[in-house]
Amino acid sequence: MVTILSLAFIDANIIADWIIFSEYLKVKNKEDIPNIIKEKKDQNPRLHNSYEFMEAVASKNMHNVTFAISPLCVVEVNAALLKKIIYDLMYQRGIPFEDYPSYKNAVKIKESEIEVFNSAKHYLEKLNENVTICYSTEETSKNITKTAIELIVRMRTRSHDAILLGEACSMKAEYFITNDKHLIRQTRDAKFDEVKLVNPRNFYLIRRNVK
């Protein structure tokens, strides 16, 4: 008997990719969008898969599963968008890629260059009806902290990733959907099985077997 999925936690990198690609499509001619999406599937599978997945989530085309994020996830989405803006500006200014780490904190951003942040709120509101933002209680905070510390000590997981995984575990999520290949590999090698880490494409494949 196949178990029906009940709860899946969405990582920030997937939501950020969705917003970035959606904003890119906004300035394109509508008749060109299907071809652009198709081309992106070959050029940047990660971005394409994030976009397709989140569009399905936002339009409620995912059945038998509830999706969740956390306040930290929302913060991480905005941090990822800021990083994208900064990297784009450094590229436009001709800064060599190897020098990005040295320059990224010195890049000044104009008000006109942060439009994506204003749009981010719209996309997150679009998710409200089908994605739950789970807030911590005193009890769940203890569990999140305990799991996060274990992950940091045991697997050297980055603190924000450890907290997000801790949140997913405290919600008793069955799946943690992420594009972070390193985190997926890290948890697999350490036999961490409190929540299953999968990318959007593999989540689709798993759902084909869910009845």
Side-chain angles (χ1 to χ4, degrees):
M1 181 178 178
V2 179
T3 303
I4 294 178
L5 305 185
S6 59
L7 182 63
F9 189 97
I10 305 173
D11 198 1
N13 51 53
I14 294 175
I15 300 173
D17 282 348
W18 172 54
I19 293 173
I20 289 166
F21 192 42
S22 296
E23 284 295 290
Y24 172 74
L25 292 176
K26 271 174 62 175
V27 299
K28 303 298 179 181
N29 293 325
K30 286 186 178 180
E31 58 270 22
D32 295 334
I33 289 178
N35 286 332
I36 293 172
I37 293 174
K38 187 177 179 180
E39 288 172 3
K40 191 61 68 175
K41 185 176 182 178
D42 296 324
Q43 297 171 354
N44 191 333
R46 165 184 161 154
L47 198 65
H48 171 270
N49 292 338
S50 293
Y51 173 78
E52 294 281 282
F53 171 77
M54 289 307 304
E55 284 293 298
V57 171
S59 60
K60 300 183 181 179
N61 286 336
M62 293 275 197
H63 305 293
N64 301 324
V65 58
T66 300
F67 294 99
I69 58 176
S70 68
L72 174 59
C73 183
V74 175
V75 172
E76 286 290 304
V77 167
N78 283 276
L81 295 176
L82 176 62
K83 181 178 178 180
K84 172 71 165 56
I85 292 171
I86 290 173
Y87 275 46
D88 283 351
L89 288 173
M90 288 193 291
Y91 175 79
Q92 292 166 14
R93 294 169 189 177
I95 296 172
F97 183 74
E98 59 270 20
D99 293 336
Y100 280 18
S102 303
Y103 281 90
K104 65 180 181 180
N105 292 328
V107 174
K108 297 189 183 301
I109 303 174
K110 299 176 184 176
E111 190 67 30
S112 59
E113 294 168 331
I114 60 172
E115 183 60 32
V116 69
F117 281 107
N118 299 325
S119 299
K121 184 178 179 182
H122 159 74
Y123 289 104
L124 291 169
E125 287 174 349
K126 188 177 177 181
L127 295 178
N128 276 349
E129 292 183 8
N130 207 33
V131 176
T132 302
I133 298 181
C134 296
Y135 294 89
S136 301
T137 64
E138 182 176 353
E139 185 59 35
T140 58
S141 292
K142 291 178 182 177
N143 294 333
I144 291 166
T145 302
K146 181 176 181 293
T147 301
I149 291 172
E150 287 176 354
L151 288 168
I152 291 169
V153 173
R154 179 178 161 193
M155 301 189 307
R156 306 297 188 266
T157 308
R158 292 175 299 183
S159 56
H160 60 275
D161 287 332
I163 293 171
L164 289 175
L165 280 170
E167 289 174 332
C169 291
S170 75
M171 298 172 194
K172 303 201 180 304
E174 293 178 72
Y175 286 88
F176 185 92
I177 307 171
T178 181
N179 275 319
D180 191 330
K181 293 180 181 179
H182 174 71
L183 188 61
I184 292 174
R185 184 171 58 252
Q186 194 178 47
T187 52
R188 183 189 63 223
D189 292 346
K191 294 181 170 53
F192 175 78
D193 57 5
E194 290 186 45
V195 60
K196 297 173 186 173
L197 279 75
V198 294
N199 61 38
R201 176 170 173 72
N202 285 339
F203 185 73
Y204 272 126
L205 296 176
I206 290 166
R207 281 189 50 78
R208 286 181 183 176
N209 296 321
V210 176
K211 299 179 180 180

